[in-house]
């Protein structure tokens, strides 16, 4: 576990993947669920595409998820609602559509920036994302 952006615990389980602005591209694999001890996943400001795999909901220790500023598309998986310990969820500046699943955040130190999605107007779509639990909505002009 001596890679930049990767932190492991004493048992060599990956607990943090902090890779913002790493020039990453491609899709987020469903194999992300194999990282059972993962607490932090930050893939923000890369060139990630495709949909968010439903398997992400099985990351029971995940507290911090930043997927903003990428090119993710499609519906957000309902399994995001299974993240029982999530404190920060930032999904804005992607191309998601539809309804953001109901997600209840743990008490958080991040305040209003704790749950952000593209639910503002104007939207890149005919209708913005519907997000009842978001603490902040951004629009297609990156205004939040």
């Amino acid at each position: 576990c001596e890679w930049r952006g990767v932190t492991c615990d004493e048992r060599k389980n990956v607990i943090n993947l902090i890779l913002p602005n790493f020039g990453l591209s491609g899709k987020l694999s469903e194999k992300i669920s194999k990282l059972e001890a993962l607490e932090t996943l930050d893939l923000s400001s890369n060139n990630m595409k495709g949909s968010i795999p439903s398997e992400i909901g099985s990351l029971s220790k995940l507290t911090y998820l930043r997927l903003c500023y990428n090119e993710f598309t499609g519906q957000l998986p309902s399994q995001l609602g299974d993240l029982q310990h999530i404190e920060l969820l930032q999904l804005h500046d992607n191309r998601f559509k539809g309804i953001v699943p109901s997600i209840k955040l743990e008490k958080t130190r991040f305040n209003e920036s704790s749950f952000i999605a593209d639910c503002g107007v104007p939207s890149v779509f005919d209708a913005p994302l519907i997000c009842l639990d978001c603490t902040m909505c951004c629009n297609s002009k990156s205004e939040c």
Side-chain angles (χ1 to χ4, degrees), residues 77-113:
S78 62
Q79 292 82 354
L80 280 174
D82 296 337
L83 298 173
Q84 298 295 310
H85 301 290
I86 199 77
E87 293 179 23
L88 181 127
L89 180 58
Q90 295 183 341
L91 303 170
H92 55 292
D93 283 282
N94 282 290
R95 302 234 176 222
F96 297 121
K97 59 183 178 178
I99 299 172
V100 177
S102 180
I103 299 167
K104 300 299 180 198
L105 298 179
E106 284 284 303
K107 287 187 179 180
T108 179
R109 62 188 181 274
F110 301 106
N111 300 321
E112 68 183 34
S113 66

Side-chain angles (χ1 to χ4, degrees), residues 1-119:
C1 286
E2 297 182 16
W3 304 288
R4 186 170 164 225
V6 179
T7 308
C8 296
D9 62 16
E10 60 281 346
R11 293 178 302 223
K12 303 291 184 202
N13 294 312
V14 174
I15 57 171
N16 297 318
L17 281 178
I18 304 174
L19 306 169
N21 254 330
F22 264 57
L24 300 175
S25 61
K27 296 182 177 184
L28 182 59
S29 171
E30 65 277 351
K31 292 181 182 178
I32 192 73
S33 64
K34 302 283 186 196
L35 300 176
E36 296 173 354
L38 196 63
E39 297 172 6
T40 300
L41 178 58
D42 186 348
L43 300 177
S44 61
S45 301
N46 282 291
N47 192 28
M48 302 295 293
K49 295 179 173 27
S51 59
I52 305 299
S54 60
E55 290 81 0
I56 203 160
S58 68
L59 296 172
S60 62
K61 296 183 180 180
L62 198 64
T63 60
Y64 185 99
L65 178 60
R66 287 190 77 221
L67 300 176
C68 50
Y69 304 107
N70 278 289
E71 296 182 33
F72 287 112
T73 57
Q75 300 272 351
L76 288 161
S78 62
Q79 292 82 354
L80 280 174
D82 296 337
L83 298 173
Q84 298 295 310
H85 301 290
I86 199 77
E87 293 179 23
L88 181 127
L89 180 58
Q90 295 183 341
L91 303 170
H92 55 292
D93 283 282
N94 282 290
R95 302 234 176 222
F96 297 121
K97 59 183 178 178
I99 299 172
V100 177
S102 180
I103 299 167
K104 300 299 180 198
L105 298 179
E106 284 284 303
K107 287 187 179 180
T108 179
R109 62 188 181 274
F110 301 106
N111 300 321
E112 68 183 34
S113 66
S114 56
F115 187 1
I116 307 174
D118 293 323
C119 44

